[in-house]
Amino acid sequence: MDTYSQVIIEAVEKVSPAVVKIERLERSSRGEVVGGSGSGFIFSSDGYLFTNSHVVKGATHLKVMLQDGRTYPAYLAGQDAATDLAVLKIEAGELTTVPFGDADELRIGQLVIAIGNPLGFQHTVTAGVISALGRSLRGADGLMMDSMIQTDAALNPGNSGGPLINGDGAVIGVNTAIINGAQGLCFAISINTAKSIANQLIRFGKVKRAYIGVAMQQVDLVPRLRAMHEVKNRQGLFVTQVERSSPAAKAGVMDGDIIVGFADQLVETADQFFKMLTEEKIGQWQFLKVIRGNEMKELRITPVEKGD
C-alpha cells in the first residue's frame, strides 16, 4: 500500500471512533420529527462534543449516535453563532476522544482529512490540502467568521460539525461551510479558536468578545518588508475588507493594510488576533499597527462588543 494511503488510513482509524452523527428533532403538525442532521466529535471523556451552531439551531431535542451504534439524548451546553460553534453533552461511558493539534503550526499545502456524515452517509472520509489560512467568511446569518481554514477536502451537507484532521490524526479544525456553486472551496473553524470558545460555553453558556470589523487573510511577510519596517513578524493579516461604520473604519484601517500588531503585541496569525479580542478590550482604545504600502502606521482603535 502506498505511503499516502497509509497516512490517511492510520489517521482516520485514530479519530473515527470519536466522530458522531447528530439528529435535530423539531416539533411539527405530525409531532416531533427529524429536522436535519450533522456531524460532531467527542473531545472529553465525560461526554462533551463539538458541532456547529447551525446544526442544532431550532432543535427541541438532540440525538447523538456513536460509531458503535449507541444512541444518546444530548443537551446543549452552549452555542456561539459568531463562530458557528456549539458544545453538546451526552451521559455515556467508555467514550473515545480526539487528540487536538495546533492550528498555529498549519501550512498552506498541508494534507488534511475530513470525517463526517454527508447526506446521511455515516463516517465518510475525504482528503485534500489546506488552500489558505486566516480567512474571513460571512456566515448564513450575516455574521463575519474569522480565523477560518480554507481547504479543498470535499464537504457536503451533513459534514457540518465534523473534524478536520492532519496526517497525524490530530484535529485541527471543525468543518463548517461550503459555498454553493463553488468547487474545492470548503471551510473549517480553527481548533485553537474552538478550544477557546468551548471553555466559555461550558462555563457560561455564551461568549462575549471584542470586534473591530475587518475581513482578513493570513499572509507571509517577504524579507524585504520585514527588514524595511524592522518587524519580527514572519506573517501578518492582510485586510481584504473593512466593514462600513465599524471600529476599523472609524480608526482609518483600509483595504490592503497588513495588521502586524495590536495592543503592544505581535500579530502573526488569525488565532492570535482572535485571542487578543477579549471581553476586557470592549470599549477600551488600543493601538493597531499596520503596514500600508511602504509605511508603518499606528492607529487608535476602540473595539465594540461583537453583535452590537
Side-chain angles (χ1 to χ4, degrees):
M1 191 175 297
D2 64 274
T3 303
Y4 175 77
S5 298
Q6 193 62 42
V7 167
I8 294 176
I9 290 168
E10 291 178 1
V12 169
E13 288 177 345
K14 185 183 296 185
V15 175
S16 59
V19 180
V20 304
K21 180 181 180 181
I22 299 168
E23 290 187 341
R24 182 178 68 245
L25 304 178
E26 300 174 353
R27 289 193 182 92
S28 75
S29 58
R30 294 173 290 142
E32 200 168 54
V33 298
V34 176
S37 66
S39 306
F41 57 94
I42 300 165
F43 64 86
S44 76
S45 58
D46 53 349
Y48 284 104
L49 60 101
F50 275 125
T51 188
N52 288 151
S53 175
H54 77 260
V55 168
V56 302
K57 186 177 181 180
T60 54
H61 292 94
L62 294 162
K63 186 166 66 174
V64 168
M65 180 180 292
L66 307 188
Q67 186 190 40
D68 60 14
R70 288 182 291 166
T71 301
Y72 296 93
Y75 76 82
L76 182 64
Q79 62 178 315
D80 180 49
T83 51
D84 197 23
L85 284 169
V87 173
L88 307 185
K89 178 73 162 62
I90 60 173
E91 301 297 334
E94 300 180 20
L95 293 173
T96 301
T97 61
V98 298
F100 286 147
D102 184 356
D104 283 345
E105 296 180 355
L106 297 178
R107 294 292 179 266
I108 293 172
Q110 181 177 336
L111 168 70
V112 288
I113 305 156
I115 310 175
N117 305 289
L119 304 173
F121 295 102
Q122 288 186 247
H123 286 81
T124 295
V125 175
T126 58
V129 298
I130 292 175
S131 306
L133 293 166
R135 289 284 200 200
S136 296
L137 176 71
R138 194 173 298 281
D141 55 6
L143 295 174
M144 189 69 76
M145 297 187 293
D146 299 320
S147 188
M148 303 289 284
I149 301 166
Q150 182 183 328
T151 174
D152 66 352
L155 301 180
N156 287 285
N159 271 115
S160 295
L164 186 71
I165 66 177
N166 61 20
D168 295 325
V171 176
I172 48 89
V174 184
N175 295 319
T176 186
I178 55 176
I179 296 179
N180 291 334
Q183 295 182 354
L185 283 175
C186 303
F187 295 88
I189 306 148
S190 154
I191 197 61
N192 294 14
T193 295
K195 288 190 292 184
S196 174
I197 293 296
N199 289 333
Q200 297 184 66
L201 292 181
I202 291 170
R203 291 173 63 194
F204 310 120
K206 63 178 183 178
V207 178
K208 290 185 70 174
R209 68 172 60 79
Y211 162 81
I212 66 167
V214 294
M216 305 168 293
Q217 179 183 341
Q218 196 169 302
V219 294
D220 292 329
L221 298 181
V222 298
R224 182 188 64 81
L225 205 58
R226 293 169 55 204
M228 179 187 301
H229 299 293
E230 298 180 341
V231 295
K232 297 179 180 178
N233 304 54
R234 293 187 176 276
Q235 295 177 306
L237 299 178
F238 182 82
V239 176
T240 59
Q241 181 185 357
V242 179
E243 296 280 305
R244 185 178 300 176
S245 302
S246 66
K250 294 174 182 176
V253 180
M254 300 176 65
D255 293 0
D257 285 350
I258 301 175
I259 298 171
V260 293
F262 178 72
D264 298 322
Q265 298 181 64
L266 293 182
V267 173
E268 290 195 287
T269 70
D271 273 318
Q272 286 176 339
F273 195 36
F274 180 86
K275 289 176 182 176
M276 294 176 189
L277 293 171
T278 51
E279 181 180 353
E280 61 268 18
K281 299 289 196 312
I282 298 171
Q284 302 295 319
W285 70 263
Q286 311 289 334
F287 281 119
L288 184 74
K289 190 175 289 188
V290 304
I291 296 173
R292 181 178 298 166
N294 292 324
E295 294 183 89
M296 176 73 76
K297 292 186 173 291
E298 202 166 53
L299 308 174
R300 278 178 52 143
I301 189 166
T302 304
V304 298
E305 184 174 349
K306 183 92 170 183
D308 282 0

